[in-house]
């Protein structure tokens, strides 16, 4: 290892790559989080190691493990990031800005939160809301996020969290498709959530719960819930629609419910946040508002 350089600080990008890899335990996961390649993350970490003159990680096929010196350095890095966040909040308050940044799953953002956010803004005209839609786990240490709306809370063991609601699904389709006749003979729209699909009831589970044999008719598969909802509205097939995400379509009559039963998702939705968020203006009020718009019969 080269002699450490004391004439200048390391590049912030290299420090961020190190912190992300340490937190995720993997160069590949760090690369996904930072929108870089694993090779680029590895190179930045090696540059940081050369700059500091120490070895930060033990590298293996299964991932990376902090060395003793790496763990010591990480503690200072995390403290520095926290100081920067506090400084940013102080600057915002000094400038009279009131801003909250919310990260949310795309369908939850567009179909549940966004239709209601206008009410909050009307009540708080000086408030600046920044809404980011993402499927990625939110890194509160490296992002501007104040709140995150998540499916389950398993990815945020160290964060504060409040349960919002547990959604359920029911067959729905467009009025035009309903008028054709037996909806079970129409194409069935599937939603593929990847590893999270195990928590989302599918057509096999629904037909089993209804005591009916599953039909053989094929349909469309989407990896985005919002696209699946749009496809159902366009009459491309029948969807197991999440009730809280299709409220607007049901109210407008562009989707109609078809049959019982409704099946619950295996996990509820949560709002998660670091404790520091509640130090920001209006943050506690916004949290209470999120709880107030959650369905009364499933919040708790």
């Amino acid at each position: 290892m080269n002699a450490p350089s004391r004439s200048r600080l390391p590049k912030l990008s290299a420090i961020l790559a190190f912190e992300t890899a340490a937190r995720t335990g993997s160069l590949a996961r760090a690369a996904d989080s930072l929108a870089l390649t694993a090779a680029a993350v590895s190179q930045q970490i090696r540059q940081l190691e050369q700059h500091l003159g120490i070895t930060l990680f033990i590298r293996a096929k299964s991932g990376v493990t902090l060395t003793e010196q790496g763990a010591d350095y990480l503690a200072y890095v995390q403290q520095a990031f926290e100081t920067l966040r506090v400084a940013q909040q102080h600057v915002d308050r000094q400038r009279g800005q009131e801003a909250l940044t919310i990260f949310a799953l795309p369908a939850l953002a567009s179909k549940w939160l966004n239709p209601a956010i206008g009410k909050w803004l009307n009540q708080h005209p000086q408030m600046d809301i920044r809404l980011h839609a993402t499927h990625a786990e939110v890194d509160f240490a490296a992002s501007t996020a104040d709140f995150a709306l998540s499916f389950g809370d398993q990815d945020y063991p160290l964060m504060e969290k409040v349960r919002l609601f547990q959604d359920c699904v029911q067959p729905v389709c467009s009025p035009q498709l309903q008028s054709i006749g037996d909806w079970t003979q129409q194409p069935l729209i599937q939603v593929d959530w990847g590893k999270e699909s195990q928590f989302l009831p599918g057509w096999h589970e629904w037909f089993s719960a209804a005591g009916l044999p599953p039909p053989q008719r094929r349909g469309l598969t989407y990896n985005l819930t919002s696209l699946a909802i749009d496809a159902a509205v366009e009459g491309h097939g029948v969807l197991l629609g999440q009730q809280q995400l299709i409220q607007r379509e049901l109210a407008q009559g562009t989707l109609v419910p078809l049959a019982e039963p409704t099946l619950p998702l295996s996990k509820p939705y949560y709002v998660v946040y670091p404790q520091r968020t509640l130090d920001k203006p209006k943050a506690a009020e916004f949290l209470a508002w999120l709880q107030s718009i959650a369905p009364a019969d499933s919040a708790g």
Side-chain angles (χ1 to χ4, degrees), residues 8-22 27 30 34 36 40-52 56-57 59 73-74 77 81:
R8 56 184 174 82
L9 290 172
K11 292 182 179 179
L12 184 58
S13 59
I15 297 175
L16 181 58
F18 159 68
E19 190 277 337
T20 307
L27 296 181
L34 298 171
L36 298 172
V41 171
S42 179
Q43 182 181 23
Q44 289 184 336
I45 292 173
R46 290 193 183 281
Q47 291 174 349
L48 180 61
E49 289 178 324
Q50 292 172 358
H51 186 100
L52 298 172
L56 297 169
F57 288 118
R59 294 164 172 83
Y73 186 65
L74 177 64
V77 166
F81 281 156

Side-chain angles (χ1 to χ4, degrees), residues 17-162:
F18 159 68
E19 190 277 337
T20 307
R23 178 170 39 79
T24 61
S26 164
L27 296 181
R29 287 192 290 271
D32 288 341
S33 177
L34 298 171
L36 298 172
T37 65
V41 171
S42 179
Q43 182 181 23
Q44 289 184 336
I45 292 173
R46 290 193 183 281
Q47 291 174 349
L48 180 61
E49 289 178 324
Q50 292 172 358
H51 186 100
L52 298 172
I54 61 175
T55 299
L56 297 169
F57 288 118
I58 298 172
R59 294 164 172 83
K61 290 184 178 179
S62 58
V64 292
T65 305
L66 286 165
T67 63
E68 183 176 351
Q69 289 177 308
D72 288 341
Y73 186 65
L74 177 64
Y76 286 102
V77 166
Q78 292 177 330
Q79 182 179 2
F81 281 156
E82 182 63 23
T83 299
L84 288 173
R85 286 191 295 272
V86 172
Q88 182 62 50
Q89 291 180 8
H90 174 75
V91 169
D92 287 345
R93 285 194 294 269
Q94 291 296 102
R95 294 172 58 188
Q97 294 180 351
E98 293 184 356
L100 291 173
T101 301
I102 299 93
F103 281 54
L105 296 167
L108 197 62
S110 64
K111 299 294 186 179
W112 183 72
L113 180 57
N114 204 45
I117 201 72
K119 296 179 181 178
W120 167 266
L121 294 175
N122 288 337
Q123 296 169 4
H124 303 83
Q126 303 305 315
M127 199 74 194
D128 183 11
I129 294 291
R130 300 161 186 166
L131 182 57
H132 295 257
T134 179
H135 283 107
E137 178 186 344
V138 177
D139 178 6
F140 286 97
S143 75
T144 58
D146 296 307
F147 294 105
L149 305 187
S150 68
F151 182 51
D153 63 348
Q154 66 284 340
D155 293 329
Y156 303 97
L158 302 181
M159 295 292 110
E160 303 293 326
K161 61 206 66 173
V162 173

Side-chain angles (χ1 to χ4, degrees), residues 79-256:
Q79 182 179 2
F81 281 156
E82 182 63 23
T83 299
L84 288 173
R85 286 191 295 272
V86 172
Q88 182 62 50
Q89 291 180 8
H90 174 75
V91 169
D92 287 345
R93 285 194 294 269
Q94 291 296 102
R95 294 172 58 188
Q97 294 180 351
E98 293 184 356
L100 291 173
T101 301
I102 299 93
F103 281 54
L105 296 167
L108 197 62
S110 64
K111 299 294 186 179
W112 183 72
L113 180 57
N114 204 45
I117 201 72
K119 296 179 181 178
W120 167 266
L121 294 175
N122 288 337
Q123 296 169 4
H124 303 83
Q126 303 305 315
M127 199 74 194
D128 183 11
I129 294 291
R130 300 161 186 166
L131 182 57
H132 295 257
T134 179
H135 283 107
E137 178 186 344
V138 177
D139 178 6
F140 286 97
S143 75
T144 58
D146 296 307
F147 294 105
L149 305 187
S150 68
F151 182 51
D153 63 348
Q154 66 284 340
D155 293 329
Y156 303 97
L158 302 181
M159 295 292 110
E160 303 293 326
K161 61 206 66 173
V162 173
R163 186 183 186 276
L164 290 175
F165 63 89
Q166 187 159 356
D167 211 350
C168 55
V169 297
Q170 181 181 18
V172 296
C173 74
S174 68
Q176 294 79 8
L177 199 62
Q178 183 191 36
S179 67
I180 293 176
D182 185 2
W183 67 266
T184 65
Q185 300 306 309
Q186 300 302 320
L188 301 179
I189 297 173
Q190 313 275 351
V191 180
D192 181 4
W193 280 359
K195 66 179 183 179
E196 295 291 292
S197 290
Q198 61 182 309
F199 304 108
L200 177 67
W203 281 113
H204 180 81
E205 290 88 350
W206 189 88
F207 277 99
S208 177
L212 299 172
Q216 302 301 313
R217 186 70 182 269
R218 296 185 178 182
L220 295 165
T221 299
Y222 295 93
N223 71 325
L224 294 177
T225 300
S226 56
L227 286 178
I229 294 172
D230 291 344
V233 169
E234 292 297 324
H236 298 327
V238 182
L239 171 69
L240 278 178
Q242 286 183 240
Q243 290 192 338
Q244 295 307 316
L245 303 189
I246 59 173
Q247 288 297 305
R248 183 166 48 181
E249 287 78 9
L250 291 175
Q252 294 172 347
T254 55
L255 288 178
V256 293

